[in-house]
């Protein structure tokens, strides 16, 4: 077999999970400042579902084939010029970039500053559930400045970012209320939620008031913003893909109209944040939660499962 080639998940047109296939493409070489990673696992994220369907075509373009995979765990296979803080064989986790994809492959090149070391003793496949937790750290600690004793509402608490936010909220000393499907209420309680509420049966107006609201869906921003206490903070990591212009306009307008600005950001972690993630794991404030493992050839099935809803933690794809 030609070791200059590798397997990767590709798609040649926008559409449902069925457009994904495993093809063979040239193995990349690390440019200066980059690291070549032998990928062991990656997780399935909502952003790549949107990219695959075509909802993000303004950002991804229309040139095919396109690739999927945002985060990864693996081992350093080669170093680009100028990279001195990693060695071949180091166990790493990371993210390929804010708008880039491509970790659904046997190898991927990543800027060195977008990688961190996986804590000793943590299985690489399970660890693939955690890079997205850097988004929860940024949202709660840096954007919302969550303080001990404050009331935190996590919308979408059973998902990838949501389950990490519940764990971190508890670790930060907040009183955590988790919104999830009825079938996942016991699950979010095991993560540390003080209160678990079925979002399908309890409307937002009946939830009470919160110092911090973290929204992972972006589809009902107005309703959740109304739940903020005076001085409350709301952070969203998503906008309504069905009405993107209206949703983004509302987020922007919230900074100047009414009480409580909606803070929106897209996770783009660097080394320091991955170091923070490793510390949270080492201190016991955060653990990986994997709903189910898939093989590389089952990536389409993993996309289909995430679209169906009901995930508990993360769907992780093992590349081996």
């Amino acid at each position: 077999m030609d070791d200059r080639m590798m397997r990767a998940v590709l798609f040649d047109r926008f559409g449902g999970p069925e457009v994904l296939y495993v093809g063979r493409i040239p193995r990349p070489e690390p440019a200066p400042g980059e690291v070549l990673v032998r990928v062991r696992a990656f997780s399935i994220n909502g952003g790549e579902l949107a990219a695959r369907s075509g909802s993000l075509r303004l950002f991804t373009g229309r040139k095919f084939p396109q690739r999927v995979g945002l985060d990864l765990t693996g081992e350093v296979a080669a170093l680009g010029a100028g990279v001195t803080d990693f060695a071949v064989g180091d166990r790493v986790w990371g993210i390929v970039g804010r708008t880039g994809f491509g970790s659904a492959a046997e190898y991927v090149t990543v800027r060195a500053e977008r990688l961190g070391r996986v804590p000793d003793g943590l299985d690489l496949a399970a660890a693939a559930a955690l890079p997205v937790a850097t988004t929860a750290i940024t949202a709660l600690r840096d954007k919302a400045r969550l303080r001990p004793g404050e009331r935190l509402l996590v919308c979408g608490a059973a998902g990838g970012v949501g389950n990490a936010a519940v764990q971190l909220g508890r670790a930060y000393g907040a009183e955590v209320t988790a919104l999830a499907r009825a079938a996942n209420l016991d699950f979010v309680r095991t993560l540390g939620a003080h209160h678990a509420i079925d979002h399908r049966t309890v409307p937002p107006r009946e939830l009470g008031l919160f110092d911090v609201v973290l929204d992972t869906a972006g589809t009902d921003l107005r309703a959740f913003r109304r739940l903020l206490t005076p001085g409350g903070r709301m952070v969203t990591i998503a906008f309504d893909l069905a009405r993107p212009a209206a949703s983004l306009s509302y987020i922007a307008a919230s900074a100047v109209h009414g009480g409580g600005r909606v803070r929106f950001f897209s996770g783009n972690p660097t080394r320091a944040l991955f170091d923070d993630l490793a510390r949270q794991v080492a201190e016991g404030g955060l653990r990986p939660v994997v709903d189910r493992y898939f093989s590389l050839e089952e990536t389409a099935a993993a996309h289909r499962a995430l679209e169906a809803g009901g995930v508990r933690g993360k769907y992780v794809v093992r590349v081996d």
Side-chain angles (χ1 to χ4, degrees), residues 19-132:
V19 304
L20 298 177
Y21 66 94
V22 176
R24 294 190 65 80
I25 62 175
R27 194 175 100 172
E29 295 293 334
E34 290 185 339
V35 174
L36 178 68
V37 179
R38 170 67 168 98
V39 180
R40 296 301 181 184
F42 60 91
S43 76
I44 307 300
N45 297 280
E48 60 192 295
L49 304 189
R52 186 214 67 227
S53 70
S55 298
L56 300 180
R57 59 171 63 90
L58 289 177
F59 304 100
T60 62
R62 298 173 180 269
K63 184 178 179 180
F64 295 102
Q66 293 192 22
R67 298 173 60 182
V68 295
L70 181 64
D71 54 34
L72 65 119
T73 59
E75 295 109 3
V76 173
L79 302 172
V83 178
T84 60
D85 43 359
F86 288 108
V88 172
D90 282 351
R91 293 169 10 114
V92 294
W93 51 17
I95 187 168
V96 295
R98 189 192 300 273
T99 58
F101 298 98
S103 65
E106 292 179 307
Y107 292 87
V108 67
T109 54
V110 185
R111 295 293 302 176
E113 65 268 18
R114 302 212 175 277
L115 292 171
R117 287 179 174 81
V118 175
D120 292 339
L122 185 59
D123 175 71
L124 281 179
L130 283 175
V132 72

Side-chain angles (χ1 to χ4, degrees), residues 13 48 149 204 257 278 280 285:
R13 68 184 191 281
E48 60 192 295
H257 296 292
Q280 287 290 341

Side-chain angles (χ1 to χ4, degrees), residues 157-158 163 166-167 170 178 183-196 284-285 287 289 312-313:
N163 92 84
V166 171
Q167 295 183 66
R170 185 69 181 244
N184 289 338
L185 297 184
D186 286 341
F187 166 68
V188 295
R189 291 188 184 99
T190 68
L191 299 175
H194 297 86
H195 316 284
R287 62 180 174 86
V289 181
R312 296 183 176 184

Side-chain angles (χ1 to χ4, degrees), residues 54 74 122 141 184 204 216 223 229 239 268 280 315:
L122 185 59
R141 185 192 65 189
N184 289 338
T216 66
T229 60
F239 57 89
N268 201 31
Q280 287 290 341
Y315 293 126

